[in-house]
Amino acid sequence: MRIIRVRRGERSFYAAITGPNSVRCLNAEENLPDDIPLEELELLPLVRPTKIVCVGLNYHDHAREMGLPIPEEPVLFLKPPTAVIGTGEAIVAPAGAGRVDYEAELAVVIGHPARCVTEADALSHVFGYACANDVTARDLQKKDGQWTRAKSFDTFCPVGPWIETHLEDPQSLGVRAIVNGEARQSGTTADMIFPVPKLISFISGVMTLLPGDVILTGTPAGIGPIKDGDEVGIEIDQLGLLSNRVVAGGPTVAAEVQ
Ligand code: MG
């Protein structure tokens, strides 16, 4: 089932895609007809996580292109929930932030609380999967020496275009980044150093994962910069195309404070 989050008038709810231009409300209390035309709805960001847990350097080909050793255990960092946007929304590149990069990633959305779960049990805690873009201010990442500022600007976590709740095998998916129609990344989740069950088990041993939380599972080789006016697509087999335009933003929050 493909699921999106929408607003209709004053009400917001999750809905299942039933056709090219229609959805079915998944909240029975709304008492809506079975098929609602998409033009009556406003698309909302798919997820409202308490946290977005990201994995650095999780593809063999990306580690090779960076000239870095294969990590012995997953390298974790966080993005804030305020970074999430949906498909069609703009990625704002802050003025003064320097180089901003795309990173095509498989997003895992948690469905049931997960604390210290085993790898064997891990996938039973998953609600679904989506495309994501781990947008990164690369110059600030190097300058700061740790990644919080570089990864956390508003709009730096596009997720979409829908959540797919049924996936036979999350480790056999093509992952692509497309900038202005040109392929820039083309990898496969089979190349992950730590597969999805290992990541869920490892992360849940550190922090409790709650429904709606998102794991970004790392990016394959081919990362690169984006700039004002670029159209960035993240495409994953069976998960559709997440599409966002880049716009130049105003001064950074830090600059405004000074
Ligand atoms: Mg990343």
Side-chain angles (χ1 to χ4, degrees), residues 86-172:
T87 196
E89 294 190 83
I91 296 167
V92 180
R99 174 174 157 172
V100 173
D101 281 9
Y102 57 84
E103 293 186 4
E105 308 210 2
L106 172 68
V108 179
V109 182
I110 297 296
H112 303 288
R115 181 172 179 272
C116 296
V117 301
T118 63
E119 290 182 45
D121 189 37
L123 293 186
S124 69
H125 295 264
V126 173
F127 177 68
Y129 303 85
C131 307
N133 190 345
D134 175 18
V135 182
T136 302
R138 195 67 69 198
D139 291 338
L140 295 182
Q141 184 183 27
K142 291 173 183 163
K143 180 181 177 186
D144 290 356
Q146 52 78 40
W147 303 359
T148 304
R149 180 164 63 146
K151 298 282 192 176
S152 299
F153 287 98
D154 289 357
T155 75
F156 270 28
C157 190
V159 180
W162 60 69
I163 300 170
E164 174 60 68
T165 59
H166 181 72
L167 213 50
E168 284 290 322
D169 180 10
Q171 303 307 145
S172 63

Side-chain angles (χ1 to χ4, degrees), residues 119-254:
E119 290 182 45
D121 189 37
L123 293 186
S124 69
H125 295 264
V126 173
F127 177 68
Y129 303 85
C131 307
N133 190 345
D134 175 18
V135 182
T136 302
R138 195 67 69 198
D139 291 338
L140 295 182
Q141 184 183 27
K142 291 173 183 163
K143 180 181 177 186
D144 290 356
Q146 52 78 40
W147 303 359
T148 304
R149 180 164 63 146
K151 298 282 192 176
S152 299
F153 287 98
D154 289 357
T155 75
F156 270 28
C157 190
V159 180
W162 60 69
I163 300 170
E164 174 60 68
T165 59
H166 181 72
L167 213 50
E168 284 290 322
D169 180 10
Q171 303 307 145
S172 63
L173 304 170
V175 178
R176 294 169 288 279
I178 303 147
V179 180
N180 302 326
E182 183 182 309
R184 298 283 182 85
Q185 285 183 290
S186 183
T188 165
T189 57
D191 189 43
M192 280 187 189
I193 296 166
F194 304 105
V196 172
K198 169 69 180 178
L199 293 177
I200 293 171
S201 176
F202 183 83
I203 295 165
S204 77
V206 178
M207 63 191 94
T208 302
L209 291 165
L210 296 174
D213 283 354
V214 176
I215 299 172
L216 298 194
T217 56
T219 197
I223 59 167
I226 43 179
K227 61 182 188 314
D228 185 30
D230 283 349
E231 290 282 350
V232 188
I234 306 297
E235 187 178 48
I236 300 180
D237 295 344
Q238 303 178 55
L239 301 181
L241 176 68
L242 166 68
S243 189
N244 302 91
R245 173 178 284 268
V246 182
V247 302
T252 64
V253 173

Side-chain angles (χ1 to χ4, degrees), residues 41-98:
L41 305 168
E42 176 192 348
L43 294 179
L44 297 174
L46 289 182
V47 287
R48 291 182 293 171
T50 69
K51 53 194 167 294
I52 302 152
V53 189
C54 308
V55 184
L57 215 63
N58 195 32
Y59 281 73
H60 290 93
D61 65 353
H62 181 48
R64 276 195 296 275
E65 79 170 342
M66 302 297 281
L68 294 169
I70 303 296
E72 293 179 1
E73 53 186 11
V75 177
L76 304 182
F77 63 94
L78 296 172
K79 277 178 179 296
T82 42
V84 173
I85 57 172
T87 196
E89 294 190 83
I91 296 167
V92 180

